């Protein structure tokens, strides 16, 4: 049965409860600094499998991972290149998702859809930051909507689509903007923009070489 919590009900005890539920592989809908996400423990293969099932998401589409501090990043990736480090220094925490070469055998392969690269973003504010920090694990966090439908910004739509399919819904009201994070990858010393979102090409070009 889904547990529904409104913003005024989400105190420290609730955060502790949800963080532990996430760590154990439960599925939670939550607001981020972009749109609502649907997430679980990134290390839990069965839980990540359930994310795909709940969303109706094709298995060839990778899941992005949210972290609360750099130590989580270092547990999951092989190394950090100078250009990746520069983007981290300038744009993290924030709405920039970076594809890093992942460490073998750390995350379930389905998180990256079989790719050797994993999509990661650092967040350090808001409710989900507190939950990740309390749980101590990175979480997968695609947008809270059925695959192919409108991005998760309206809580009424989210409840209608996912309400009986998840373990927790954290209702902090509607999100005004549906602008998602920008996704990038470093290739041969240049930054490839995979998806342009809140961080614009012009902002990236000021600090790193961007592929045409």
């Amino acid at each position: 049965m889904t547990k529904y919590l409104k913003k005024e009900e989400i105190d420290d005890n609730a955060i502790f409860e949800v963080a532990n539920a996430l760590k154990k592989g439960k599925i939670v809908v939550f607001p981020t600094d972009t749109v609502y996400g649907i997430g679980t423990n990134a290390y839990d293969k069965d839980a990540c499998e359930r994310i795909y099932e709940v969303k109706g998401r094709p298995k060839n589409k990778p899941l992005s991972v949210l972290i609360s501090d750099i130590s989580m990043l270092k547990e999951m990736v092989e190394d950090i290149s100078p250009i990746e480090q520069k983007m981290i220094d300038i744009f993290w925490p924030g709405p920039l998702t970076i594809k890093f070469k992942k460490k073998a055998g750390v995350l379930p392969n389905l998180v990256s859809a079989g790719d050797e690269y994993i999509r990661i973003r650092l967040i350090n504010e808001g409710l989900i930051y507190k939950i990740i920090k309390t749980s101590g694990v990175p979480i997968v966090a695609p947008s809270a909507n059925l695959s192919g439908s409108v991005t998760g910004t309206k809580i009424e739509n989210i409840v209608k689509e996912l309400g009986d399919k998840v373990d927790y819904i954290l209702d902090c009201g509607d999100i005004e903007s549906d602008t998602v994070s920008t996704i990038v990858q470093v290739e041969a010393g240049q930054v490839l923009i995979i998806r342009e979102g809140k961080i614009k090409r012009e902002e990236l070009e000021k600090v790193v070489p961007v592929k045409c």
Side-chain angles (χ1 to χ4, degrees), residues 32-152:
T32 72
D33 57 342
T34 53
V35 297
Y36 271 90
I38 174 173
T40 192
N41 184 345
Y43 292 134
D44 189 322
K45 181 179 181 295
D46 291 340
C48 292
E49 183 90 39
R50 192 174 157 207
I51 292 287
Y52 279 99
E53 291 171 1
V54 167
K55 280 180 62 69
R57 186 181 181 90
K59 293 289 181 66
N60 63 351
K61 292 187 70 174
L63 302 173
S64 292
V65 177
L66 290 183
I67 60 174
S68 60
D69 60 69
I70 293 296
S71 65
M72 288 183 176
L73 174 70
K74 292 177 178 177
E75 289 175 5
M76 294 185 287
V77 306
E78 279 286 347
D79 55 22
I80 300 169
S81 72
I83 292 177
E84 289 166 346
Q85 187 61 56
K86 194 161 190 179
M87 290 191 290
I88 287 170
D89 293 341
I90 300 294
F91 297 109
W92 276 13
L96 183 71
T97 300
I98 303 174
K99 286 184 69 175
F100 296 92
K101 190 167 184 180
K102 67 180 183 180
K103 280 184 182 176
V106 176
L107 291 168
N109 279 332
L110 81 166
V111 173
S112 60
D115 192 4
E116 62 179 336
Y117 290 85
I118 189 73
R119 303 173 179 213
I120 302 175
R121 183 159 76 88
L122 176 70
I123 189 167
N124 81 334
E125 63 180 8
L127 175 60
I128 193 55
Y129 164 71
K130 294 177 183 176
I131 290 171
I132 298 170
K133 191 171 179 62
T134 302
S135 73
V137 296
I139 65 168
V140 293
S143 59
N145 60 307
L146 296 178
S147 189
S149 69
V150 178
T151 301

Side-chain angles (χ1 to χ4, degrees), residues 185-192 211:
Q185 181 177 0
V186 177
E187 289 185 345
Q190 291 186 306
V191 174
L192 171 66
K211 198 171 184 177

